[in-house]
Amino acid sequence: MNLLIMGLPGAGKGTQAAKIVEEFGVAHISTGDMFRAAMANQTEMGRLAKLFIDKGELVPDEVTNGIVKERLAESDIAEKGFLLDGYPRTIEQAHALDETLKALDIKLDGVINIEVNPESLVERLSGRFICRSCGSTYHKVFNPTKVEGTCDVCGGHEFFQREDDKPETVKRRLDVNIAQGEPIIAHYRELGLVSDIQGNQDIDDVFADVKKAIAAIK
Ligand code: AP5
Ligand code: MG
Ligand code: ZN
């Protein structure tokens, strides 16, 4: 099964992606995670991406399309299927993805579109914290760890906040993503692939709706 998960920054793409991957065994491809890994490793691509990410701007399409194309061509994808998170994010990326999938003879099965009230997102992003060792995502109020200071998944004790979750950067990220998002969803609606999910509910209720949408796709 090959899926996209779409939604504004903080909509819960990564949170739902972790659950989808656990339940359906697809490969999680998050362009944001790939860029953050490259920044941490200080690769040339990471240094370039940082110039854009720190300002809340999009990384140029040529770079982003290139890394997704490379990842989709790896051998596990044909076997497991994929869940793309945070890509495509411009209409040009959507067209590039269409071409890449066609060249690889892969069919896109569905698009999970998490709809949220943009006003709720600043609070979500400012309260987000992430486990340093396994990358699990939490929220101070909405999704705390079961034991304070200990990751539920790996037992790690070190957490961090994302550099781009500072209020000034968050505002720019939201503006950029709102401006770019509509034509992409319209593109997939035309193909009859979109399932709209109400994202302003508890995490588990969102996931129940996501599972229903995926069951209808299969
Ligand atoms: P990326 O990493 O993709 O960030 P984003 O799109 O801004 O989305 P987030 O990861 O911030 O939010 P999310 O939807 O995953 O929410 P989460 O589940 O964590 O991209 C970062 C940057 O990289 C971009 O700005 C850009 O510069 C660059 N980039 C990436 N892809 C690119 C592309 N294709 N082209 C160009 N540039 C690209 O949840 C957020 C918080 O809310 C968490 O604390 C969580 O616990 C909590 N939460 C989740 N669900 C709920 C709920 N239902 N109720 C209450 N709280 C909830
Ligand atoms: Mg994310
Ligand atoms: Zn962890």
Side-chain angles (χ1 to χ4, degrees):
M1 194 177 41
N2 304 310
L3 302 170
L4 308 185
I5 188 158
M6 297 190 52
L8 291 174
K13 300 182 294 295
T15 300
Q16 296 301 322
K19 293 177 177 291
I20 294 168
V21 165
E22 198 186 341
E23 177 101 10
F24 299 97
V26 291
H28 182 203
I29 308 177
S30 158
T31 43
D33 287 350
M34 289 160 97
F35 289 134
R36 281 184 291 277
M39 292 193 294
N41 293 325
Q42 300 193 358
T43 65
E44 197 180 321
M45 196 263 282
R47 277 194 286 268
L48 174 78
K50 188 171 165 41
L51 298 175
F52 297 90
I53 291 176
D54 283 356
K55 286 188 282 192
E57 304 292 341
L58 296 179
V59 177
D61 285 344
E62 315 81 81
V63 179
T64 312
N65 289 334
I67 62 167
V68 172
K69 193 172 175 183
E70 247 174 52
R71 179 67 188 92
L72 286 173
E74 284 173 29
S75 60
D76 62 320
I77 298 298
E79 231 168 82
K80 295 194 274 195
F82 63 80
L83 174 65
L84 262 170
D85 161 359
Y87 179 93
R89 222 182 278 237
T90 63
I91 192 68
E92 290 77 17
Q93 289 180 13
H95 292 143
L97 178 62
D98 287 348
E99 273 178 33
T100 296
L101 293 178
K102 201 168 151 205
L104 292 168
D105 199 20
I106 298 176
K107 183 174 143 279
L108 183 63
D109 298 306
V111 176
I112 306 289
N113 180 39
I114 308 186
E115 296 188 299
V116 280
N117 172 0
E119 275 148 36
S120 62
L121 297 178
V122 175
E123 194 184 2
R124 284 202 191 173
L125 293 173
S126 61
R128 170 163 60 187
F129 63 97
I130 300 167
C131 172
R132 172 96 49 206
S133 41
C134 78
S136 292
T137 295
Y138 299 94
H139 190 280
K140 279 183 207 161
V141 180
F142 306 129
N143 185 28
T145 55
K146 291 194 180 81
V147 177
E148 208 190 321
T150 304
C151 175
D152 297 352
V153 177
C154 76
H157 296 294
E158 236 189 275
F159 299 91
F160 69 96
Q161 287 187 292
R162 263 170 53 177
E163 275 294 323
D164 61 344
D165 280 347
K166 289 184 294 229
E168 324 81 82
T169 319
V170 164
K171 190 174 174 313
R172 184 64 193 148
R173 281 164 62 202
L174 287 173
D175 289 347
V176 166
N177 281 277
I178 289 168
Q180 299 281 348
E182 250 337 289
I184 306 173
I185 285 290
H187 173 74
Y188 292 117
R189 271 196 217 289
E190 239 169 64
L191 300 171
L193 290 175
V194 178
S195 306
D196 294 310
I197 304 288
Q198 168 52 261
N200 287 105
Q201 338 175 47
D202 283 354
I203 290 171
D204 290 337
D205 294 335
V206 176
F207 187 53
D209 287 354
V210 167
K211 275 201 288 194
K212 271 187 225 153
I214 292 177
I217 290 166
K218 280 204 288 189

